[in-house]
Amino acid sequence: EDEQIVAEIMRRRFFPALLTHKAWEGFHFAGHEIRITEATDCYGAVVWPSALVLCYFLETNSKQYNLVDKNVIEIGAGTGLVSIVASLLGALVTATDLPELLGNLQHNVLQNTKQKCKHQPCVKELSWGIDLEKNFPRSSCHFDYIMAADVVYHHPFLDELLLTFDHLCKKDTVILWAMKFRLDKENQFVGRFQTLFDLEVIFNFPSLNITLYKAMRKGRMKT
């Protein structure tokens, strides 16, 4: 079953028939052909398999996780694929990442959502752990969903990432987080995450070493 679903997920990806001056990949999700411009000089400018897993889940579970008119924020949006798919599924999306990635992120989001979505997504800078209350005040920012794909890897900002999850998550916010397991230090983040949130595995792909989690504040997860 794992290999069958993984094969289906990977069939959603296609490549240009002819080489062009810009590197891009194509994807079929939410009834649309999505073209993502990439770069090879930065982790955040490449589409990683965890993003495909999360997009596939959003599309195939759209009744249980109905995104229409829901406020969604993606942290570490990178090339924007998850934000684009969530927008095409009807969500009001805020796609966030570091300032140096916003140009390419904005390009991809605009190219793939303009006049195709109920709500035009917005792109906003978010450096984990920095100026959270200033840029995303608790009193006025409410997100139904926080989405994250492959935000845990070998980087020195795991403390800031946990702080960002904590700041953005309200009592009824649902976190959908796809993670590829790599090194023990990074994997220990899951244990730290569970000090603040209840965690449930909703998709697991051993062949990709990727797990998709649903999380909510402690005591808020419905049984």
Side-chain angles (χ1 to χ4, degrees), residues 10-209:
M10 294 307 166
R11 279 195 293 268
R12 302 301 186 94
R13 169 186 263 159
F14 66 92
F15 298 93
L18 298 174
L19 294 177
T20 64
H21 68 286
K22 284 188 177 181
W24 65 271
E25 288 186 78
F27 303 88
H28 293 289
F29 286 110
H32 291 267
E33 180 181 291
I34 302 168
R35 294 193 177 194
I36 297 293
T37 300
E38 297 185 316
T40 58
D41 58 349
C42 178
Y43 288 147
V46 177
V47 177
W48 298 99
S50 293
L52 273 66
V53 167
L54 183 48
C55 289
Y56 180 83
F57 177 83
L58 295 176
E59 180 188 71
T60 56
N61 294 271
S62 59
K63 290 185 178 180
Q64 182 179 359
Y65 294 86
N66 185 355
L67 297 184
V68 177
D69 298 331
K70 296 297 194 300
N71 283 314
V72 172
I73 186 169
E74 184 186 5
I75 61 174
T79 60
L81 180 61
V82 172
S83 289
I84 291 164
V85 172
S87 298
L88 293 171
L89 291 171
L92 205 166
V93 176
T94 302
T96 70
D97 215 312
L98 296 169
E100 59 266 28
L101 296 173
L102 295 187
N104 189 57
L105 176 58
Q106 179 71 66
H107 168 78
N108 285 329
V109 166
L110 187 62
Q111 175 178 266
N112 290 286
T113 62
K114 189 175 182 180
Q115 297 181 336
K116 298 177 183 178
C117 298
K118 184 176 183 180
H119 307 287
Q120 184 61 37
C122 72
V123 172
K124 189 171 180 179
E125 176 185 342
L126 173 53
S127 299
W128 298 337
I130 298 176
D131 292 332
L132 294 175
E133 182 59 29
K134 176 183 176 181
N135 296 324
F136 299 89
R138 291 179 185 267
S139 60
S140 58
C141 287
H142 179 279
F143 298 105
D144 299 294
Y145 290 94
I146 299 170
M147 297 187 183
D150 232 351
V151 293
V152 178
Y153 53 91
H154 185 59
H155 63 72
F157 304 108
L158 294 178
D159 290 342
E160 290 82 358
L161 174 60
L162 186 59
L163 182 65
T164 301
F165 273 123
D166 185 38
H167 180 84
L168 296 174
C169 188
K170 298 291 181 66
K171 288 183 178 181
D172 56 346
T173 302
V174 174
I175 298 171
L176 295 175
W177 165 33
M179 175 176 172
K180 182 176 178 67
F181 284 82
R182 296 181 176 89
L183 304 175
D184 286 342
K185 180 182 178 182
E186 299 159 14
N187 299 347
Q188 290 170 9
F189 180 84
V190 176
R192 297 175 57 201
F193 186 87
Q194 287 179 286
T195 63
L196 298 175
F197 304 98
D198 288 325
L199 204 58
E200 175 188 347
V201 175
I202 52 178
F203 245 169
N204 191 34
F205 299 105
S207 63
L208 294 175
N209 216 19

